[in-house]
Structures are given as C-alpha cells and as structure tokens.
Amino acid sequence: MARTTGSHSDITGPRIREVAMRLFAQHGYAAVSMRQIASGVGVQAGALYNYTPDKQGLLFGLMREHMEELLAARAARDVPDDPLAQLEDFTRFHIAFHMERADAVFVSYMELRNLDAGNFATIESLRSRYEDELEAILQRGVAVGLFSVPDSKIATLALIAMLTGVNTWYRTGGRLSVQQVETIYWDMVRKAVAP
Amino acid sequence: MARTTGSHSDITGPRIREVAMRLFAQHGYAAVSMRQIASGVGVQAGALYNYTPDKQGLLFGLMREHMEELLAARAARDVPDDPLAQLEDFTRFHIAFHMERADAVFVSYMELRNLDAGNFATIESLRSRYEDELEAILQRGVAVGLFSVPDSKIATLALIAMLTGVNTWYRTGGRLSVQQVETIYWDMVRKAVAP
DNA sequence: GTCTATAAGGTGATAGAC
DNA sequence: GTCTATCACCTTATAGAC
C-alpha cells in the first residue's frame, strides 16, 4: 500500500539523478543547490545524502554513467567490414545516441571544469576511449586509400565536434526526423574525409 | 605621481573585465563570486559596483563586447569575389579569431543559460547575424553549382561547430601554428560542401 | 530512509566615511 | 573611486529523533 513517508530507496535514487541531471543542464552545477534538487524530488535536502556522499559525487556519478553507457552502446554494435561502412555506422550511432540524451551530453561537456582532479581524469579517459574508436576507423580508411585526412587526430575531433553540434539546434518534434538528420550529417562527413 | 589608493577609473574598468572573463571561463559564472573578482583586481568588492550595476551586467557586457568585436572584425575584411574564396576566407577568419580569444568564446557559449531573458535575446541576435554570413556564402555557392549541401542552415551550424571545436584542443605553443590549423580545417570544410 | 534543526561560512548588494 | 561595515539571505553538510 502507498505511503507518503518512509522508505523509498528503489525510486528515490533514480529520481535524484534524473532531477539533478535536468537542473544541472538547465542552470549549471554551481547554480543549482542541493535544496533545489531535493525540492524537485519531493524530499528534504538531508535525505539526498543517503544516496550521494556529496554534491560533487552526484555530478561525477551522472557523468560517469553517461560515458559508460556511451561506450557500452557502442561496443554492443555489430561492426561492418569496410571503413566506409564503419564511418557511416559511427556517424549515425553518434547522432542518434547524443540526440536522445541532450541533458547528459550538455552536462558531461559543460561541467568538466567543476570536477575534482581525480574525477576529471576518469571522465577524460572514458572520453578518449570513445574518440579512439573513430580515429581507428579513419586510420584504417586512410591506409587502404578510402579516406584522406590531413591529420587523423584533428579530423577525429573535428568530426565529433560537428556531430555533437546537432544538440545545439535539434528539438524533438521539429521538421526533421532523427534519421533525416543522420543522413544530412553523413553526407558531410563522407565528403569531408574523401580522397 | 604614483598612488596606491584613490582614483584609477581608466585602468580599473578594463582590469575588472579581464579578471572576470578569466575567472568565468575557468570556474563558470555561477561559481565565481564578486569578492573573488575584486581580489583578482586588487580592490574591495564594493568598488566593483562603480563599474557594473550588478554581476549579471558584468557578464552581459563581456558577452556583448565579444560578439560585437566578432562582427566588426568580420565586417572589416575585404570579401573575395567567388564563393569558394569567400568560404576559405570565412574558415580562416573564424579559426584565427576564435583561437585568439579562447576565454571569451568559452564564456559566450557556456554562460548563455545564465543570461536574463532580454540579455539572452540580444546575444542570440548578434550570433545569428554572424551565422547568416556563412549561410549566405553557402547559398551563393550552391546557386552557381560550386557547392552542394543537403540543407544550408544545418550545414552552416555543422561547419561552425566543427571550426569552433578547435578551442577544445588547441593550445598555444603546440606542434601546429594557427595557419597550419587553418589549412587542415579548410581542407575538410572545402570537401564537406563539395558537389 | 526521511525528517528537523543547526553549524559554519559564503553570497550579492548597499550605506556612508574618506 | 575606494574603503569598511553591514544586511538579509543562501550554501553544503551533519546530528540525532522517529
């Protein structure tokens, strides 16, 4: 039977992360207080500390979870054989994954400077692993003459910046579907690395 | 003769903007206090209010100044005749201008959400004017068959996101000069919009 | 697990002396 | 133009009752 007070450990934890992610994305980590988060969840501020050691830990947990989901979703994909198909797959995957998680993407980029040094290093290492996947695709394509890029590391960062930029303008319910956006960007990516 | 106290109106104003820009870029607007800014300048917090009505006005002034300098610098350039040369000029201009102003670029993007509604509208309108210049170049190029893009508005935002991304990795004194970076990105931009 | 109460300190902004 | 002092309020985090 329903209770309005008492134990709710299985739903309060996820609710805190959900509310915190939304508020951090909207106003920024430093601008959001633990009281605001608690109020959004429907508990008192003190209750939050049953789920996180402190505010920093809450932010870090959100960012690490996002990066790990990104790597897991990527690893779960069947990788095509040739570099061109791999690049198209990466492009479509990146856009679809990031468009569905606008808040997490925004927070994971904007709040890097608010992470403790150790937490920052952890997140950066996860991000590097993701970038390395794209760079490997580009390098294989260059090796077999399918692609030509001036510098594989810079091309990697340039393409990721371009693709993630979708998040600055795309709004669900607009004139374009996710697949249409994927196709538009894939056209530019394909040509950008063409020989 | 030198004074260690008293009036310094001609240097204190610029110093405040300089220190505020650096601290906002490093830690974020919400995380920086007026006392920290004052301490960086070498005055007491109360003195800041001779130069800005409030903290919000200080942020807005920095962002507006950045956007107006961007538009002025762009307007001061001789525009080549053909769209291909125009696109190369825009690419090189954008990279060089933004690489020299990493703090201002970072703040002007990251702190949009901390602007009052009216201030936000002003900055967004300045940003639109800049984006419109690139879109016009792309449209002219498409009209004469020099370029082919799936959607000129999306291509504009995609290219600007790619170019501004330089700021996430470039550090002065690294292995590449500004001109080398310009050339690397121009190669990708040129191909991305090729027919 | 959640609550209330509280500790210890920081916040933006202003008043009035110099 | 800058300083000191201050107001009213908000901050993170913890202690202990239930």
Side-chain angles (χ1 to χ4, degrees), chain B residues 99-115:
Chain B
M99 280 170 72
E100 278 170 7
R101 290 164 175 79
D103 282 354
V105 170
F106 201 63
V107 168
S108 296
Y109 174 61
M110 309 283 268
E111 306 299 353
L112 282 171
R113 61 188 168 184
N114 285 310
L115 288 177

Side-chain angles (χ1 to χ4, degrees), chain B residues 67 71 118-132:
Chain B
M67 294 308 297
L71 287 168
N119 291 342
F120 177 82
T122 301
I123 299 298
E124 277 306 283
S125 133
L126 293 170
R127 185 186 306 275
S128 282
R129 279 173 47 195
Y130 181 68
E131 289 170 0
D132 288 348

Side-chain angles (χ1 to χ4, degrees), chain B residues 32-192:
Chain B
V32 173
S33 71
M34 295 298 270
R35 280 173 180 78
Q36 277 177 277
I37 297 169
S39 160
V41 174
V43 296
Q44 293 300 313
L48 300 180
Y49 292 86
N50 289 314
Y51 300 91
T52 180
D54 50 25
K55 194 185 174 190
Q56 167 76 202
L58 181 53
L59 174 64
F60 175 62
L62 291 173
M63 291 174 70
R64 189 183 50 190
E65 189 179 28
H66 171 68
M67 294 308 297
E68 283 171 350
E69 277 178 19
L70 173 65
L71 287 168
R74 178 78 199 135
R77 271 175 107 83
D78 276 341
V79 178
D81 276 342
D82 77 299
L84 192 66
Q86 284 170 4
L87 185 59
E88 175 168 3
D89 179 65
F90 186 96
T91 299
R92 293 187 183 274
F93 165 78
H94 185 97
I95 287 185
F97 187 91
H98 284 71
M99 280 170 72
E100 278 170 7
R101 290 164 175 79
D103 282 354
V105 170
F106 201 63
V107 168
S108 296
Y109 174 61
M110 309 283 268
E111 306 299 353
L112 282 171
R113 61 188 168 184
N114 285 310
L115 288 177
D116 291 348
N119 291 342
F120 177 82
T122 301
I123 299 298
E124 277 306 283
S125 133
L126 293 170
R127 185 186 306 275
S128 282
R129 279 173 47 195
Y130 181 68
E131 289 170 0
D132 288 348
E133 297 208 23
L134 175 54
E135 188 175 5
I137 293 172
L138 293 179
Q139 286 173 336
R140 281 193 294 272
V142 168
V144 298
L146 270 170
F147 305 149
S148 168
V149 294
D151 179 302
S152 71
K153 185 67 188 165
I154 294 178
T156 298
L157 297 173
L159 292 182
I160 286 180
M162 183 171 92
L163 296 177
T164 309
V166 173
N167 280 259
T168 64
W169 60 266
Y170 185 83
R171 294 296 170 263
T172 309
R175 68 183 165 96
L176 297 168
S177 71
V178 176
Q179 275 178 333
Q180 286 175 309
V181 175
E182 289 174 16
T183 301
I184 289 172
Y185 276 79
W186 166 236
D187 178 71
M188 292 188 284
V189 168
R190 178 180 55 78
K191 290 192 291 184

Side-chain angles (χ1 to χ4, degrees), chain A residues 16-141:
Chain A
I16 289 171
R17 288 194 288 279
E18 185 185 313
V19 169
M21 184 70 96
R22 180 169 46 77
L23 291 175
F24 288 165
Q26 246 168 42
H27 309 291
Y29 171 76
V32 173
S33 71
M34 295 298 269
R35 279 177 180 77
Q36 279 177 275
I37 297 169
S39 160
V41 174
V43 296
Q44 292 300 312
L48 300 180
Y49 292 88
N50 289 316
Y51 299 90
T52 180
D54 50 24
K55 194 185 173 189
Q56 168 75 202
L58 181 52
L59 174 65
F60 175 62
L62 291 174
M63 291 173 70
R64 189 183 50 192
E65 189 179 28
H66 171 67
M67 295 308 298
E68 284 171 349
E69 278 179 17
L70 173 66
L71 288 167
R74 178 79 199 135
R77 271 176 109 81
D78 276 341
V79 178
D81 276 342
D82 76 300
L84 193 66
Q86 284 170 5
L87 185 59
E88 176 169 3
D89 179 65
F90 186 95
T91 298
R92 292 186 182 275
F93 165 78
H94 185 96
I95 286 184
F97 187 91
H98 284 70
M99 280 170 72
E100 277 170 8
R101 290 165 176 79
D103 282 354
V105 170
F106 200 64
V107 168
S108 296
Y109 173 60
M110 307 283 268
E111 305 300 352
L112 281 170
R113 62 187 168 183
N114 285 310
L115 288 177
D116 291 348
N119 290 343
F120 178 82
T122 301
I123 299 297
E124 276 306 284
S125 133
L126 293 170
R127 185 185 306 274
S128 283
R129 279 173 48 196
Y130 181 68
E131 290 170 358
D132 287 349
E133 297 208 24
L134 174 55
E135 188 174 6
I137 292 171
L138 293 179
Q139 286 172 336
R140 282 193 294 272

